[in-house]
Amino acid sequence: MWVRPERSRRPRSPRRSEVAPPGGRDAVAMRVRELLVTVGLGTAVVGVTIGVLPGISADDGWSVLAVAILVTALGAVIRPIMVRLLSALGWAGVVAGWLVCQALVVWAALLLAPGVHVTEFWAAFWAAWIGGALMSVGLWVVTAGQDGAVTQHLLRVNRRFRRQVPPSEVPGVLFLQIDGLSAPLARWAVDAGNLPTLGRWLSGGSHVMTEWHAQLPATTPASQAGLLHGASAQIPAFRWYEKDAGRLVVTNHPQDAALVESRCSDGQGLLADGGVSVSNVFSGDAPTSLLTMSTARRGNGPRRYVSSYLLDPFGLTRSLVLTVGEIVKELHQARRQRLRRVRPRMRRIWSYVLLRGVTNVLLRHLNLAVLAEQMMRGAPAVYCDFVDYDEIAHHAGPARPESLASLEGIDAALAILEEVAAAAPRPYRFVVLSDHGQSQGSTFRQRYGIRLEDLVARLTTTEDVVVPDEDEQAGRARNLRAGIGRTGKPEPEGTADRPELVVAASGNLALVYFPRRPGRVTLEEITESYPELLPGLTAHPGIGWVLVRSEREGPIVLGPDGRRWLDDDHVLGVDPLLGFGPHAADDLRRHDRLANTGDLVVNSLWDPVSQEVAAFEELIGCHGGLGGQQNRPVLIRPRDWPEPGPLVGADDVYRYLSGCLKKLTPPG
């Protein structure tokens, strides 16, 4: 989609008069209005603060107005200098600046304003914090219903980058990933009016929605390895065990993500030609990589863009207010589920409540700030992962009201980026896609009162079972920490003392390993050593199928009432893959050939009547295996791009997007 209005095929798009480039008359008028609002609110806030705090007094209202004006003026002059200085000092400097920067500005204003009396710095310090809290509420009330307030702020803070970039008619591309959104749900949300921006693009004829197939495993790391590098075969699951190295690999660890990317990268990633990676697992070989797990540098201080964001009163204030609001909203939504006795549901613990506020507000706003800057710098291609929906859908369910509300928030972010793009030095085209969908259901433990690893331990009569205890939400918080600061010490490569069993779950898929036995352990070996394991698994009502390799007959899929030989595709009894989709057999043939796949590959039940799976993790919405909408992600592309044909796997999508990018770039 061309964002510039004269080229847009939409019925209506932002005009230059509505979203003026930095330096235009409308932008000046908007800035004047913003200043008047800030000074007006500031005057009221200063008056209240002086009235309630001891140690500060003012002779009259003009003195209060003078303080508000001085705070605004000094902040505009001092804050950019503080950002550069404090960033150079490292995280200690930024944290100290966040605590005292505004207090110093307020103190200086109180000392300089005529008719104002302040006894000590600490009075100014508390005045800054109380005033900041009141200003937060005031700004939220004033700007919450105003379209364009965030856009104008992003344009203003990035105007210096825009002035440095010569205009170009060569279009850039923004790849915006809505993590976990399935194509059927996307279509329904558009039709229901939940996604007005995407709905306008689709109904206006600028974009087309296409479904593609996410091969096993349907996880973000596997899909992004494909989407960004064309190398999804490097990843058998979200977490897995490598026998050669004797170690667990968990892709939401920065050091593990870097290891995996080194296997995926050939220097020809989707973003290799001057692109930018933002908030992803892998970088796509982008020269500029921000908040990206695989490229997070150890032992470094805060990045300049983070320092600017944290020390910006508008950005930080808005984020803090909305983060608190998100936490309160989560508590209300969880309570509402309990009172309504919604099924399935899960206990939403405090760590998730806090992380939802951080990742679904702070990270989204930080992404917007970074994307706006990169567009104003004229980046040729940017890929950013918005994780809001996927995170909430895991805990609430993919089609629940709170999950759909998060989709609306991402759609609003698309509208802001569309407006920012209208003022960028080059036209931008938007591609919106997902990496997988989600399937819903009560968890394996909720249904049967036992975890999969406990079932495997019982059937093998062993207690030496290792389970990687990592979840996706912790990884997203780790990604935020890694992108803005230290990532911690690297984990050891392995240990000589190997467990007897490892059970690594990824949604409703689990890989079972026998680490003390080299290579892929065969059906015959497992039957001899653990005779109750395979019959016990396939007979359990929570297991849909088990993939195992026979030494004589190759890969075999075992089910409760039959088996399927994948080499010649013949079936004995009831086909275990019946109902798991048209790509199930091909997906399992491919997965059987992957390096580091499990000795056993276990998938939960899929109930076509209730449309439910049973995750081996404690997640109501899940992805990773087969069954339901988790394998049905979406691609929303410009209509004038070529028809992609069937897209089976993320590698196919990578080849399609890479080809489209090359056609946009003139021959050099």
Side-chain angles (χ1 to χ4, degrees), residues 642-661:
E643 181 68 33
L647 296 171
V648 180
D651 294 5
D652 273 3
V653 182
Y654 161 80
R655 286 185 283 270
Y656 171 73
L657 296 177
S658 295
C660 293
L661 271 182

Side-chain angles (χ1 to χ4, degrees), residues 562-594:
R563 58 180 57 191
R564 180 169 180 164
W565 285 260
L566 293 179
D567 279 350
D568 59 10
D569 228 17
H570 81 275
V571 176
L572 177 65
V574 179
D575 185 357
L577 299 181
L578 187 65
F580 282 93
H583 299 283
D586 288 337
D587 279 5
L588 287 182
R589 290 188 192 94
R590 172 183 175 272
H591 204 275
D592 178 72
R593 297 190 297 267
L594 298 184

Side-chain angles (χ1 to χ4, degrees), residues 37-51 64-65 68 134-135:
V37 169
T38 302
V39 171
L41 277 175
T43 302
V45 166
V46 170
V48 172
T49 303
I50 290 176
V64 174
L65 175 62
L134 294 174
M135 196 72 175

Side-chain angles (χ1 to χ4, degrees), residues 520-599:
R520 182 85 175 271
V521 182
T522 65
L523 168 66
E524 291 79 9
E525 292 176 284
I526 294 171
T527 301
E528 180 180 357
S529 300
Y530 307 101
E532 296 183 8
L533 179 57
L534 291 174
L537 286 175
T538 55
H540 195 282
I543 303 298
W545 49 259
V546 178
L547 172 65
V548 63
R549 172 168 282 276
S550 167
E551 184 177 3
R552 297 184 298 271
E553 300 174 290
I556 303 175
V557 185
L558 308 177
D561 300 307
R563 58 180 57 191
R564 180 169 180 164
W565 285 260
L566 293 179
D567 279 350
D568 59 10
D569 228 17
H570 81 275
V571 176
L572 177 65
V574 179
D575 185 357
L577 299 181
L578 187 65
F580 282 93
H583 299 283
D586 288 337
D587 279 5
L588 287 182
R589 290 188 192 94
R590 172 183 175 272
H591 204 275
D592 178 72
R593 297 190 297 267
L594 298 184
N596 301 307
T597 190
D599 297 320

Side-chain angles (χ1 to χ4, degrees), residues 233-491:
Q234 295 293 334
I235 300 180
F238 186 82
R239 49 183 72 84
W240 66 89
Y241 186 83
E242 298 192 347
K243 290 187 178 183
D244 291 343
R247 61 165 289 170
L248 287 163
V249 175
V250 183
T251 46
N252 63 14
H253 289 180
Q255 60 271 18
D256 286 349
L259 170 68
V260 175
E261 178 162 328
S262 70
R263 300 170 180 172
C264 296
S265 174
D266 60 359
Q268 303 297 315
L270 184 68
L271 305 174
D273 190 13
V276 180
S277 170
V278 181
S279 292
N280 298 308
V281 178
F282 305 117
S283 73
D285 294 320
T288 303
S289 187
L290 309 171
L291 295 169
T292 296
M293 188 75 70
S294 63
T295 59
R297 295 173 296 173
R298 301 186 185 95
N300 290 286
R303 313 294 190 263
R304 180 202 52 74
Y305 61 87
V306 176
S307 304
S308 300
Y309 181 79
L310 291 179
L311 297 178
D312 184 335
F314 183 90
L316 181 61
T317 294
R318 181 168 174 270
S319 293
L320 288 177
V321 169
L322 294 181
T323 296
V324 173
E326 188 76 8
I327 291 172
V328 173
K329 184 167 64 175
E330 161 59 27
L331 295 174
H332 165 69
Q333 290 168 342
R335 180 175 181 271
R336 184 176 61 180
Q337 275 199 355
R338 293 194 302 271
L339 292 177
R340 292 180 175 181
R341 300 181 181 180
V342 173
R343 293 282 189 268
R345 72 170 189 269
M346 61 179 290
R347 180 171 173 263
R348 284 137 77 160
I349 60 177
W350 269 102
S351 61
Y352 162 69
V353 174
L354 297 175
L355 282 170
R356 171 176 165 176
V358 171
T359 60
N360 298 327
V361 175
L362 179 61
L363 183 56
R364 185 201 295 172
H365 292 173
L366 184 55
N367 283 343
L368 277 176
V370 173
L371 289 171
E373 178 180 323
Q374 295 304 320
M375 281 192 285
M376 289 304 168
R377 289 178 178 271
V382 185
Y383 192 112
C384 177
D385 183 9
F386 285 90
V387 301
D388 317 31
Y389 166 76
D390 188 65
E391 184 63 63
I392 296 175
H394 274 313
H395 295 80
R400 299 283 169 74
E402 48 265 57
S403 304
L404 297 176
S406 70
L407 283 180
E408 294 178 12
I410 297 174
D411 186 84
L414 298 182
I416 292 172
L417 292 172
E418 180 185 33
E419 293 175 341
V420 171
R426 70 194 310 163
Y428 275 97
R429 316 205 71 179
F430 285 70
V431 175
V432 179
L433 72 165
S434 59
D435 48 348
H436 52 76
Q438 281 206 24
S439 300
Q440 182 172 289
S442 298
T443 69
F444 190 86
R445 183 185 184 188
Q446 286 176 339
R447 292 169 183 266
Y448 308 110
I450 188 174
R451 295 180 182 271
L452 176 65
E453 56 267 26
D454 298 326
L455 175 63
V456 171
R458 188 177 70 191
L459 294 172
T460 57
T461 65
T462 180
E463 297 180 358
D464 190 10
V465 180
V466 169
V467 180
D469 188 17
E470 292 290 339
D471 59 29
E472 208 165 354
Q473 72 183 47
R476 281 158 182 165
R478 186 181 293 111
N479 190 17
L480 181 60
R481 292 197 304 270
I484 62 180
R486 298 179 182 272
T487 64
K489 298 179 180 179
E491 293 185 351

